[in-house]
Amino acid sequence: MKTVFLSTLIVALSMSAGFAQQPVQCRSFEATIALQPTKDGCLSQIDLCTVGTVMSNEPALSGATWLFTAHGMAETAGLPSLSKTLQSYAGTVLVTAKGGTFTTTTAGMYDTEPPAFSQLDKIVKGTDRFSNSTGRLIFLTGVGRQGGGFDSHARGEVCVND
């Protein structure tokens, strides 16, 4: 009986020590991202990718690379009653930060005149520091810049293993 108790105690202490080493903190964040079209590393079947550097109040994200890959687009968002300047799109985002990455699925609307977009991202996979971020949402908006690209604003929640 003593052996079972000691074994259980050792397992419980070792598990709690592992959790104590990596407490998870889910935090809201805001960020700006200057997105530019890119061909480097673009695996899009429709040849549409953007890349930018994240500037954020969340230290785990500040300086991260944001790579959007479009997987498909539909004119007038699939609704014939809408303006032909509106397009819907779907894709993925890979965020590469210090200490980990996370991947999102993306659905959005793009207006060609004036160039602007709004998208909703859901984190579907995370590694290392971001392994507990799955299911968290990010909302991104962007307005076109002269010379190309978008000035974007993101807000959402991310869980960080500190």
Side-chain angles (χ1 to χ4, degrees):
M1 177 107 150
K2 259 187 181 177
T3 306
V4 172
F5 174 75
L6 286 175
S7 298
T8 305
L9 181 61
I10 289 169
V11 169
L13 288 174
S14 65
M15 287 178 62
S16 67
F19 289 124
Q21 290 173 1
Q22 290 192 347
V24 175
Q25 294 185 13
C26 296
R27 305 185 282 245
S28 295
F29 73 88
E30 292 201 24
T32 58
I33 311 161
L35 293 170
Q36 293 289 356
T38 186
K39 301 290 183 199
D40 293 339
C42 184
L43 301 176
S44 171
Q45 293 177 346
I46 62 171
D47 202 31
L48 175 59
C49 293
T50 59
V51 66
T53 301
V54 178
M55 303 301 291
S56 177
N57 66 334
E58 170 52 57
L61 292 178
S62 200
T65 300
W66 182 282
L67 175 62
F68 166 75
T69 302
H71 298 300
M73 293 186 88
E75 286 186 356
T76 67
L79 301 170
S81 62
L82 293 178
S83 166
K84 293 201 182 286
T85 65
L86 286 177
Q87 299 174 352
S88 60
Y89 61 89
T92 56
V93 171
L94 173 63
V95 177
T96 305
K98 293 176 191 164
T101 65
F102 63 85
T103 303
T104 75
T105 57
T106 300
M109 293 291 298
Y110 173 67
D111 194 342
T112 61
E113 294 178 27
F117 73 89
S118 177
Q119 71 186 45
L120 180 63
D121 290 67
K122 182 177 182 180
I123 300 175
V124 294
K125 179 171 57 171
T127 67
D128 302 319
R129 292 186 81 179
F130 302 102
S131 61
N132 291 301
S133 288
T134 302
R136 304 299 170 163
L137 299 176
I138 300 171
F139 182 69
L140 194 74
T141 57
V143 177
R145 269 196 315 275
Q146 270 195 332
F150 293 90
D151 291 323
S152 307
H153 179 77
R155 68 179 189 271
E157 186 176 55
V158 67
C159 298
V160 180
N161 303 334
D162 285 328

